[in-house]
């Protein structure tokens, strides 16, 4: 007798159930966190969602394809600076001739900026991937690390002879996101309930994460995803089997970079300010640690790693100070030092006892006799 189990295997049912639980948790999280933690923790969660976007993008390159990218934060910077230039008075101030065409200044909608940021970042991803196709491992890591530093230094010094990025001072006055006439700034009141713009950004970021997850899942289970897996496991064998490794690796760089560019555009709109200091090597390492900690190539694991490494340090920062006050009557050790200590210790312990990550794929999590 034909049953539902015939058409929907247990693994697929579990995946669908997990997805719906994740969507429900994503929808309810600010309603649970806001009343107890206030706007500070809503802001922390908003940044955690930005890191999830970055981790999902890097996971395509590192997790799906097995290419070690140490300069991924460069695409974040590219998306952020593009959004800053297209939605702030900076360009019209530096180039008065633009006022003839944009008398009110450049204030493009986020609906236009996000696709442009994805396209520009993807183009730079291809530029990075093209000369590094023959490199793997440490050599690729060094090249990508250099690329990330070049972009940061370029943003820092591109204020002369023509001031494009405003150098180390950064670009301020960036317009907040706006969708269908709804401006993501200040307070809004609906049906007698006051809602902060932090909540609006949260749900905007959550919607983008669901879209990125959908694309990643479809890619992972497609012919493209299987080709990436073959390249990750053995590139020479994949080439022997007729896989065009060049094109698939470039596609991985482009797709990952596009998601990084989207996250950067959202960061600029959310912060209202960008500067080169926001895109340091430490940020690249942090995003890579999120992917490795959660489980490379496993989308739920990557999300878990991003949440832990973005939100847990903030929890330690805010709790260790009051805890020392309660125990010793004064703050003996700077909470920032304790935060970094626990951060590093947690990574060491995970790599020792869970080298495949906290939530690896079933293949990587299996124990072989």
């Amino acid at each position: 007798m034909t049953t539902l189990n015939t058409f929907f295997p247990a693994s697929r049912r579990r995946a669908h159930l997990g997805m719906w639980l994740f969507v429900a948790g994503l929808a309810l999280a600010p309603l649970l966190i806001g009343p107890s933690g206030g706007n500070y923790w809503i802001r922390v969660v908003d940044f955690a969602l930005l890191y999830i976007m970055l981790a999902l993008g890097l996971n395509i390159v590192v997790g799906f394809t097995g290419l070690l990218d140490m300069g991924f934060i460069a695409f974040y910077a590219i998306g952020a600076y593009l959004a800053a230039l297209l939605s702030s008075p900076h360009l019209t101030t530096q180039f008065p001739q633009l006022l003839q065409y944009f008398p009110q200044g450049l204030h493009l909608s986020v609906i236009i900026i996000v696709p442009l940021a994805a396209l520009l970042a993807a183009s730079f991803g291809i530029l990075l991937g093209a000369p590094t196709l023959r490199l793997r491992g440490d050599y690729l890591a060094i090249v990508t690390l250099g690329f990330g530093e070049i972009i940061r230094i370029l943003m820092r010094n591109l204020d002369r002879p023509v001031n494009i990025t405003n150098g180390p001072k950064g670009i301020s006055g960036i317009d907040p996101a706006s969708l269908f006439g709804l401006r993501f700034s200040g307070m809004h009141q609906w049906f007698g309930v006051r809602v902060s713009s932090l909540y609006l950004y949260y749900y905007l970021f959550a919607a983008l994460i669901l879209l990125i997850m959908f694309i990643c899942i479809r890619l992972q289970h497609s012919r493209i995803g299987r080709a990436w897996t073959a390249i990750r496991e053995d590139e020479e064998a994949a080439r022997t089997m007729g896989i065009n490794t060049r094109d698939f690796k470039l596609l991985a760089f482009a797709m990952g970079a596009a998601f990084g560019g989207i996250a950067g555009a959202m960061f600029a709109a959310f912060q209202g300010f960008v500067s080169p200091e926001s895109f340091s090597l430490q940020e690249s390492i942090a995003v890579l640690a999120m992917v490795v900690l959660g489980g490379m190539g496993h989308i739920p694991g990557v999300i878990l790693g991003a949440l832990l490494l973005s939100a847990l340090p903030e929890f330690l920062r805010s709790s260790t100070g009051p805890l020392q006050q309660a125990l010793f009557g004064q703050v003996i050790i700077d909470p920032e030092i304790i935060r970094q200590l626990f951060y590093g210790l947690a990574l060491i312990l995970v790599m020792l006892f869970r080298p495949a990550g906290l939530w690896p794929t079933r293949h990587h999590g299996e124990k072989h006799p």
Side-chain angles (χ1 to χ4, degrees):
M1 181 177 178
T2 303
T3 63
L4 289 176
N5 292 340
T6 305
F7 298 101
F8 300 101
S11 59
R12 181 171 295 184
R13 292 201 306 274
R14 285 196 300 270
H16 287 170
L17 177 61
M19 186 65 182
W20 283 113
L21 289 175
F22 175 74
V23 172
L26 205 59
L28 296 176
L31 305 180
L32 300 175
I33 295 172
S36 58
N39 285 341
Y40 169 76
W41 280 105
I42 295 297
R43 187 175 183 85
V44 169
V45 174
D46 285 347
F47 273 106
L49 296 186
L50 287 173
Y51 278 113
I52 289 175
M53 291 186 213
L54 286 172
L56 288 173
L58 183 58
N59 185 53
I60 291 179
V61 181
V62 175
F64 290 172
T65 319
L67 304 173
L68 185 54
D69 188 349
M70 292 288 291
F72 188 75
I73 208 68
F75 308 119
Y76 190 47
I78 289 167
Y81 269 92
L82 178 69
L85 293 173
L86 296 182
S87 60
S88 75
H90 177 73
L91 281 182
T92 52
T93 302
Q94 299 300 321
F95 304 97
Q97 56 270 30
L98 288 177
L99 289 174
Q100 301 177 7
Y101 307 99
F102 304 98
Q104 303 300 322
L106 282 171
H107 302 283
L108 296 187
S109 169
V110 69
I111 298 176
I112 300 174
I113 291 174
V114 166
L116 289 177
L119 184 61
L120 181 63
S123 301
F124 273 89
I126 294 173
L127 287 177
L128 170 63
T132 61
L133 290 175
R134 295 182 179 273
L135 301 179
R136 289 186 67 85
D138 298 341
Y139 299 101
L140 180 61
I142 292 171
V143 171
T144 53
L145 186 152
F147 174 78
E149 286 299 286
I150 286 171
I151 294 296
R152 185 181 65 84
I153 294 171
L154 184 65
M155 299 304 181
R156 177 187 286 273
N157 292 281
L158 210 57
D159 58 340
R160 55 186 185 274
V162 179
N163 187 0
I164 297 177
T165 64
N166 208 30
K169 297 178 183 178
I171 299 176
S172 59
I174 302 170
D175 295 339
S178 179
L179 284 176
F180 309 112
L182 178 61
R183 192 173 176 84
F184 289 39
S185 63
M187 298 291 294
H188 299 269
Q189 186 165 345
W190 293 301
F191 307 105
V193 179
R194 290 171 59 84
V195 179
S196 167
S197 60
L198 294 174
Y199 288 82
L200 301 181
Y201 275 111
Y202 174 89
Y203 287 110
L204 175 61
F205 295 166
L208 287 172
I209 285 174
L210 291 176
L211 176 61
I212 292 172
M213 283 180 60
F214 174 78
I215 295 172
C216 288
I217 291 171
R218 298 295 294 175
L219 284 172
Q220 186 179 21
H221 297 288
S222 69
R223 184 176 64 87
I224 295 173
R226 290 191 291 272
W228 284 339
T229 302
I231 294 171
R232 181 188 67 200
E233 298 300 329
D234 192 326
E235 185 174 346
E236 291 301 322
R239 186 180 294 110
T240 303
M241 294 299 294
I243 295 175
N244 189 331
T245 57
R246 173 183 176 276
D247 290 351
F248 281 109
K249 287 167 72 173
L250 286 178
L251 180 61
F253 272 110
M255 291 298 300
F259 295 149
I262 291 172
M266 290 294 96
F267 169 77
F270 182 61
Q271 281 285 89
F273 172 77
V274 296
S275 70
E277 280 66 36
S278 299
F279 313 106
S280 64
L281 174 62
Q282 184 177 353
E283 290 294 309
S284 275
I285 295 173
V287 178
L288 180 61
M290 293 171 186
V291 176
V292 175
L293 176 70
M296 292 188 294
H298 193 217
I299 293 172
V302 169
I303 293 173
L304 175 64
L307 283 174
L308 288 177
L309 290 188
S310 57
L312 186 59
E314 292 302 321
F315 173 77
L316 292 173
R317 188 208 302 269
S318 62
S319 61
T320 51
L323 182 61
Q324 291 182 79
Q325 286 282 4
L327 293 177
F328 310 111
Q330 60 179 339
V331 176
I332 299 175
I333 304 175
D334 186 353
E336 179 64 20
I337 296 176
I338 296 177
R339 182 181 79 92
Q340 294 291 346
L341 175 65
F342 277 99
Y343 186 92
L345 181 62
L347 289 177
I348 292 172
L349 292 176
V350 168
M351 290 302 101
L352 286 175
F353 298 104
R354 299 282 294 182
L358 292 175
W359 194 353
T361 60
R362 181 174 300 180
H363 172 70
H364 290 118
E366 289 173 346
K367 293 183 178 180
H368 300 282

